[in-house]
Amino acid sequence: ELTWDRVAARTITSSTGKNDGTLFASGPIWTLFARYKNESRFTPYVGLGAAFYNRTRVSKGRWHYGFSGDEAEQEYVAWRQAGSPSWPNDGYNRTFNLDDATGFVATFGSAIKIGGHWEADLYGRYTDVVLDNEYTLSYYGNVFRSESHEFDISNMAYGIGIKYVFGA
């Protein structure tokens, strides 16, 4: 199976609890499945595969452009309403630079015959992925501080679907 996955997570500063932007990662997942055919209504299956997140980024909001403090949100909104002029806050920027990542995927589930050609599908999918991140601080594009971190975006997803099976 080939699917397209997208993960989004809010980044939170541990010291202040404030949002540093939203992390987005997306890309294809390849999975090889094994199904247990039997005479019952249920066809259980398992799958193993890999996720290839090749579109990773963190949104660039007030945090990226250096707005901070109690009035940060209001100052950011005013800056945006003024047309987002170049280099707010003396050109100070905070940036997350995420690398692409590959991870492990395990899926389990069951197709359930409803009637005729119709089936329900219940599944769970565990994705194990860690993104490497270079965090930089800069003035007018000149980096003066850089640190490396990881974002663990591993997750468990559950789903339910209805499908029509041709030739059943």
Side-chain angles (χ1 to χ4, degrees), residues 52-128:
F52 304 93
Y53 290 107
N54 55 13
R55 288 180 170 78
T56 58
R57 66 181 177 85
V58 173
S59 62
K60 292 184 178 175
R62 67 171 179 77
W63 181 84
H64 167 74
Y65 292 106
F67 292 94
S68 60
D70 293 337
E71 304 296 318
E73 192 62 35
Q74 294 85 351
E75 291 171 0
Y76 176 69
V77 169
W79 174 72
R80 294 295 305 251
Q81 289 173 342
S84 304
S86 297
W87 303 114
N89 296 308
D90 298 321
Y92 179 66
N93 285 153
R94 297 175 277 212
T95 306
F96 289 134
N97 299 296
L98 300 169
D99 284 342
D100 296 345
T102 301
F104 168 77
V105 176
T107 304
F108 60 91
S110 182
I112 305 163
K113 293 177 186 156
I114 298 172
H117 293 272
W118 292 96
E119 292 182 358
D121 193 38
L122 301 171
Y123 73 90
R125 180 178 68 208
Y126 174 71
T127 306
D128 182 26

Side-chain angles (χ1 to χ4, degrees), residues 23-36:
L23 178 150
F24 298 96
S26 62
I29 294 179
W30 287 93
T31 309
L32 181 61
F33 286 94
R35 302 183 188 285
Y36 177 68

